[in-house]
Amino acid sequence: MRGETRPGLGGSAKILTAFFQRDPATVARELLGTFLAVGDTGGIITETEAYRPDDPASHAYRGETAGNRALFGKPATAYIYRSYGIHWCLNFVCGKTQTGSAVLIRALEPTVGLERMRKRRGVDEIRLLCSGPGKLTKALGITNALNGKPLNEPPFLLKLQPHPPEDIIVGPRIGITRGIETPWRFGLRTSRFLSRRFL
DNA sequence: TCGCCGATGTTCT
DNA sequence: GAACATCGGCGAT
């Protein structure tokens, strides 16, 4: 996707849909450097992971269930699930409709609403506010109330970048036991706001 | 900086 | 029962 096809601000449903209606690994790379806000808090996406339905690590691998229904919804919507019974994790649905493809948002560089995020997290250090998928949902106030919601409408705001990011680091995905051979974790190489080092 | 471990709830076998 | 796309605290290095 070239710069002229991307919005400078916000994002119409049409443009966001076109952006997400592609392979999740491509979308995961190009989401790096984009600004994401939820309500009055947000930051720059620094780390993502791609999941495909034919991938044993994906929640879509065994087909649609009540719990993963949003993952089979429209592109450019949110899929939110509870992780380890404690945390919420945020995904963006990709591909053509009902494919079960998604990108997990793993880390942000916090830029907006820092005090609000510190309060929600109970942590002062800015580098720790959104440096993990469970941390960033807590900092942004995300719960499954936003599951299935479109990303072009409040409380979401996604500002795509005019150009795809450069200097991307790639590695194996985190915390999975199957599909570990597929290097679909992506990060901004020079960012100080990653969840963990890349291997 | 690293590795281990317990907490916790939903889903699937 | 087991597995799980995690986190924070702890002690060892």
Side-chain angles (χ1 to χ4, degrees):
Chain A
M1 236 186 171
R2 302 301 306 277
E4 60 273 15
T5 64
R6 297 185 185 203
L9 293 171
S12 71
K14 203 170 184 178
I15 291 174
L16 274 188
T17 297
F19 180 84
F20 282 102
Q21 217 164 33
R22 298 177 298 161
D23 185 275
T26 303
V27 175
R29 283 176 165 272
E30 296 194 11
L31 277 172
L32 298 175
T34 71
F35 175 77
L36 168 68
V38 181
D40 55 4
T41 51
I44 307 295
I45 297 176
T46 59
E47 184 181 330
T48 57
E49 283 179 359
Y51 289 86
R52 281 191 198 159
D54 59 349
D55 152 20
S58 170
H59 291 177
Y61 188 62
R62 291 186 179 77
E64 185 173 338
T65 66
N68 67 14
R69 186 144 297 146
L71 183 50
F72 291 86
K74 294 180 186 174
T77 60
Y79 163 54
I80 295 162
Y81 67 92
R82 197 184 280 280
S83 174
Y84 293 92
I86 303 172
H87 313 286
W88 298 106
C89 287
L90 173 67
N91 292 252
F92 295 162
V93 176
C94 297
K96 307 297 179 185
T97 56
Q98 304 184 328
T99 59
S101 297
V103 172
L104 171 68
I105 309 302
R106 286 195 56 89
L108 295 182
E109 174 178 349
T111 61
V112 174
L114 298 184
E115 288 315 308
R116 190 90 198 274
M117 292 194 274
R118 286 190 171 104
K119 205 162 191 177
R120 284 174 173 155
R121 290 271 293 112
V123 168
D124 274 347
E125 172 54 53
I126 189 171
R127 288 172 63 168
L128 301 180
L129 289 181
C130 297
S131 58
K135 298 178 190 176
L136 76 87
T137 54
K138 186 165 184 184
L140 297 176
I142 292 172
T143 69
N144 66 341
L146 297 177
N147 193 30
K149 300 284 190 196
L151 301 178
N152 67 308
E153 292 176 14
F156 290 112
L157 174 62
L158 194 57
K159 294 185 187 181
L160 302 179
Q161 292 299 105
H163 303 291
E166 295 177 11
D167 214 4
I168 291 174
I169 188 168
V170 181
R173 293 171 294 179
I174 304 288
I176 56 173
T177 56
R178 294 164 301 169
I180 53 178
E181 68 283 357
T182 314
W184 277 346
R185 177 181 177 221
F186 305 97
L188 292 178
R189 183 185 299 271
T190 60
S191 177
R192 296 157 48 246
F193 298 90
L194 302 174
S195 67
R196 300 174 42 172
R197 283 239 168 73
F198 277 74
L199 300 177

